[in-house]
Amino acid sequence: MSVAEETPGGEDVPWGEVTPEAARRLLVAAVEAFAERGYHATTTRDIAGRAGMSPAALYIHYKTKEELLHRISRIGHDKALEILRVAADGEGTAGERLADAVRSFVRWHAERHTTARVVQYELDALGPEHRTEIVALRRESDAVVRRIVNEGVAAGEFDVPDVAGTTVAVLSLCIDVSRWFNTEGRRTADEVGALYADLVLRMVGAQK
């Protein structure tokens, strides 16, 4: 699947929240280039060429290559946090909400695997200010999952000696799907999400 077919939030138009159209095309091209070559090996000329534009046109919309990466990372992390919050604030037991969070989070990382690889694994390429901002969003995601696990422990649903460590393990498991998922593989994104939800419930010792 090419990046042009991916949408970070299920929109009809990839990255539809990015305007004007030229800025969106550049961002889509940057995602594709960063995922394929890595941030540091990608030049602004590479990005502009993929977007069918001149290198000078890029600087009209983004001051630097790093600003482009930040925009991608911010949108992706905001969406990831939204997915987890919707599940955490939903109805049901802690086990049901944790399963829903994992299922949705994994499905997003599978369906948007190209985007997710850039969002999750190019953090160190960001400048100090932008990196601090994204790390804060990651901590919010961690806090959402940790809250569900704590609620499960308090309710006697889960048996988790180390809530913080388990939360990191759960999120790491979900995020890593973007590294290996293949749309032509034997499992669909939905099937991987269901599998991981079951694995995580086993991890926390959920009472059946």
Side-chain angles (χ1 to χ4, degrees):
M1 176 183 290
S2 73
V3 131
E5 295 173 300
E6 296 190 3
T7 60
E11 303 89 349
D12 292 333
V13 178
W15 301 89
E17 65 271 72
V18 179
T19 57
E21 171 64 14
R24 187 192 70 81
R25 283 170 52 200
L26 286 163
L27 187 141
V28 170
V31 171
E32 188 176 70
F34 293 157
E36 182 180 311
R37 306 187 62 184
Y39 175 82
H40 292 293
T42 298
T43 67
T44 53
R45 184 175 292 275
D46 293 331
I47 296 167
R50 287 172 185 263
M53 301 166 70
S54 70
L58 185 148
Y59 296 107
I60 295 173
H61 303 284
Y62 302 99
K63 294 178 182 178
T64 63
K65 184 176 71 166
E66 191 270 349
E67 185 178 299
L68 247 175
L69 177 62
H70 170 251
R71 185 84 168 108
I72 293 163
S73 190
R74 178 66 201 229
I75 292 172
H77 279 87
D78 280 342
K79 181 58 185 177
L81 181 56
E82 177 190 350
I83 288 169
L84 294 173
R85 281 177 170 163
V86 167
D89 296 337
E91 298 180 355
T93 65
E96 290 168 340
R97 287 181 288 118
L98 182 60
D100 188 31
V102 169
R103 191 180 301 110
S104 301
F105 201 53
V106 166
R107 188 168 57 240
W108 186 83
H109 280 82
E111 291 175 343
R112 320 289 184 238
H113 56 277
T114 305
T115 295
R117 282 200 303 275
V118 176
V119 168
Q120 299 292 359
Y121 295 113
E122 292 289 359
L123 177 65
D124 290 339
L126 291 170
E129 182 178 350
H130 287 159
R131 189 178 190 282
T132 297
E133 175 189 316
I134 299 304
V135 167
L137 287 172
R138 286 178 176 243
R139 287 176 177 159
E140 287 188 55
S141 291
D142 180 279
V144 171
V145 175
R146 190 167 65 250
R147 170 164 63 88
I148 304 174
V149 176
N150 271 320
E151 288 170 356
V153 171
E157 290 184 55
F158 302 160
D159 179 14
V160 181
D162 182 349
V163 171
T166 300
T167 298
V168 171
V170 168
L171 288 170
S172 298
L173 188 69
C174 296
I175 288 169
D176 199 57
V177 169
S178 65
R179 283 187 185 271
W180 60 261
F181 185 79
N182 185 337
T183 54
E184 297 179 359
R186 64 189 185 91
R187 283 196 173 99
T188 67
D190 284 337
E191 288 170 341
V192 175
L195 171 64
Y196 274 47
D198 180 68
L199 291 173
V200 167
L201 290 180
R202 293 173 187 273
M203 183 188 299
V204 299
Q207 300 298 313
K208 299 292 186 178

